[in-house]
Amino acid sequence: MIKLIPTQELQLGMYIHKLGVFWIKHPLICNRLLLTDPRQIAAISECGIEQVWIDLEKSVMPKPAEIVMGSENRSIAPAPLPGSFLNELAQAKYICQQGTSQVKDMFGEARLGQIIDVNGTMSLVEEITGSIDRHPSALISVARLKNHDDYTYLHSVAVCALMIGLGRRLQLDDQQVRLAGMGGLLHDLGKATVPLDILNKPGKLTEAEFEQMRKHPITGAEMLFNAGAGDELIDIALHHHEKFDGSGYPHGLKGEKISSFARMAAVCDVYDAVTSNRAYRDGWNPSEAMHRMANWNGHFDQTFFYAFVKSVGIYPVGTLVRLVSGRVAMVVEPGEKSLLRPKVKVFWSLISARAIPVETIDLADGFSCDSIVSPEDIAQWQHINFSEVWMTE
């Protein structure tokens, strides 16, 4: 339900559907925005906007302020800086929650044999595009954290985001970027007809089960055709499992006989699958995934693969890395000259096993990463306030 309210009635947790003005250009505010920071409300008022349209269905009650655990003096985590990775994380979490629910409903309708509303996904694609444009790493980082039951649905959201980011890297126009994103969101629609005991099986599929799973591209393409989807969307669903050397399925297409969108989807689909934790295995970290995928000769179009690497980065923003110097750091910016040398903020010494003054360093200045920190290692620093690490100059 959309409701027009006075600006002075705005509260955290409300979802801005429309500001009602087209001239506004501000780093904190835009259309289709979940209010998570008091400064967003102040900025709307300061810009002279007297009324805004609120989407009540997308609005959420504000959660209690997060408490930083592990400190004798528990403190409220400070609000993130405008436009920062942490600020976008709040938006990304909300988008992923809503997107997962929307995709799940769409799969449910498809299972019942109903014709899906392809155009109804455009608003979700627009929100994902907005998040990727504001901070490419935030939503992709959130989307990697999938639970077992919702994997297929959040995977669709993640591939949508990765397709949008890759489209931006390839300098596609806005219409093509959104088409790529919609294709990513709908690419696995055919899995709606795969029995849930196969779709969610926590172990290796039998040959018979795998053969049933391999039918989902054709089934998905048929569903999209019946829904009146465009040729590009149908093609992405049909051919995202084709391989550049012709060894893929369902048609064994080779090279440029596979459309550009399908070649893009092949990379995005595999990357999200191998970096996501599943019931039967842990996901690879981004650098390991990139290294392994680079060695799969014939699987991907190399032009699109290397553009994808530049789009996502070897060390995505927010990643914790171990430096050769024996310090632990958080990645805060991609490297300008090398994907292997991002800008980081060091905060912990492995040698002395204690926190150290936060310092920003550019790994291009002669420093280097040893590896990405493992989940077991991260447990040592649960008491660290990463918001403060991020914000420290």
Side-chain angles (χ1 to χ4, degrees):
M1 177 180 176
I2 308 300
K3 182 179 180 181
L4 181 65
I5 66 170
T7 298
Q8 59 264 32
E9 293 183 10
L10 284 174
Q11 299 178 27
L12 294 181
M14 286 185 171
Y15 186 90
I16 300 290
H17 174 73
K18 186 178 179 182
L19 291 168
V21 295
F22 301 98
W23 45 264
I24 197 75
K25 288 187 178 180
H26 194 286
L28 278 174
I29 57 176
C30 60
N31 291 321
R32 301 187 183 279
L33 174 76
L34 180 68
L35 295 175
T36 59
D37 189 327
R39 290 169 295 184
Q40 294 168 323
I41 298 175
I44 292 172
S45 179
E46 290 168 2
C47 289
I49 300 174
E50 297 181 353
Q51 294 179 309
V52 295
W53 280 267
I54 299 298
D55 189 328
L56 297 178
E57 292 183 359
K58 293 184 177 180
S59 296
V60 295
M61 292 299 293
K63 297 180 180 179
E66 293 184 4
I67 302 298
V68 181
M69 305 302 292
S71 172
E72 292 183 0
N73 298 316
R74 296 180 181 179
S75 60
I76 302 299
L81 293 174
S84 73
F85 174 73
L86 291 175
N87 194 46
E88 187 56 40
L89 274 179
Q91 300 285 344
K93 289 177 182 178
Y94 174 79
I95 292 171
C96 284
Q97 289 170 355
Q98 296 297 311
T100 298
S101 178
Q102 184 174 337
V103 173
K104 190 173 185 177
D105 289 345
M106 180 174 62
F107 271 58
E109 292 169 359
R111 288 192 185 97
L112 295 173
Q114 299 177 11
I115 302 298
I116 66 164
D117 179 12
V118 174
N119 293 328
T121 64
M122 181 53 71
S123 61
L124 176 57
V125 173
E126 290 284 356
E127 292 192 33
I128 294 172
T129 301
S131 181
I132 295 298
D133 288 345
R134 289 189 297 269
H135 206 301
S137 299
L139 192 143
I140 292 169
S141 297
V142 172
R144 286 180 61 198
L145 305 176
K146 303 175 179 67
N147 64 49
H148 176 63
D149 292 336
D150 287 342
Y151 170 83
T152 299
Y153 315 119
L154 189 49
H155 171 67
S156 297
V157 174
V159 174
C160 172
L162 292 168
M163 289 283 279
I164 289 167
L166 179 53
R168 290 291 193 220
R169 169 60 61 173
L170 294 169
Q171 298 184 326
L172 302 182
D173 62 38
D174 287 348
Q175 182 179 356
Q176 293 290 294
V177 167
R178 283 163 175 76
L179 192 58
M182 187 178 289
L185 192 68
L186 299 169
H187 79 288
D188 266 347
L189 183 62
K191 286 184 178 179
T193 62
V194 176
L196 291 177
D197 59 341
I198 295 178
L199 196 62
N200 297 326
K201 186 175 180 179
K204 187 177 181 179
L205 299 180
T206 65
E207 186 62 34
E209 290 170 337
F210 186 62
E211 279 303 311
Q212 191 162 359
M213 182 72 83
R214 282 166 59 103
K215 296 176 182 177
H216 80 267
I218 294 176
T219 305
E222 290 174 348
M223 289 178 175
L224 290 172
F225 177 82
N226 292 334
D231 292 344
E232 296 92 343
L233 299 180
I234 295 171
D235 181 76
I236 291 171
L238 184 60
H239 293 133
H240 65 276
H241 281 294
E242 301 287 359
K243 298 181 182 179
F244 205 64
D245 63 2
S247 63
Y249 66 91
H251 297 134
L253 299 182
K254 184 175 182 178
E256 294 187 1
K257 290 185 178 180
I258 309 168
S259 72
S260 295
F261 278 141
R263 280 178 272 163
M264 290 168 61
V267 179
C268 297
D269 178 53
V270 169
Y271 175 82
D272 184 68
V274 299
T275 56
S276 298
N277 289 333
R278 306 298 300 274
Y280 51 90
R281 62 158 176 78
D282 290 334
W284 301 338
N285 66 55
S287 61
E288 180 183 12
M290 296 300 190
H291 177 74
R292 293 196 186 192
M293 290 170 67
N295 289 320
W296 292 349
N297 294 327
H299 196 128
F300 308 111
D301 181 324
Q302 293 300 295
T303 298
F304 289 134
F305 176 72
Y306 288 120
F308 178 80
V309 174
K310 291 180 180 179
S311 170
V312 175
I314 300 295
Y315 299 112
V317 173
T319 302
L320 298 185
V321 293
R322 182 186 293 109
L323 306 186
V324 172
S325 62
R327 293 178 291 176
V328 176
M330 177 188 291
V331 177
V332 293
E333 287 184 35
E336 293 182 3
K337 297 181 180 179
S338 170
L339 295 173
L340 295 172
R341 297 186 181 277
K343 287 185 179 180
V344 302
K345 288 188 177 183
V346 296
F347 65 90
W348 186 269
S349 169
L350 293 170
I351 297 173
S352 61
R354 62 180 179 84
I356 57 177
V358 177
E359 177 188 1
T360 302
I361 62 175
D362 190 336
L363 298 188
D365 294 336
F367 303 92
S368 59
C369 295
D370 176 60
S371 63
I372 286 182
V373 173
S374 69
E376 292 77 15
D377 290 335
I378 291 176
Q380 301 177 52
W381 307 301
Q382 288 301 309
H383 65 287
I384 297 292
N385 185 343
F386 290 111
S387 293
E388 290 181 349
V389 172
W390 185 275
M391 292 175 65
T392 301
E393 295 296 331

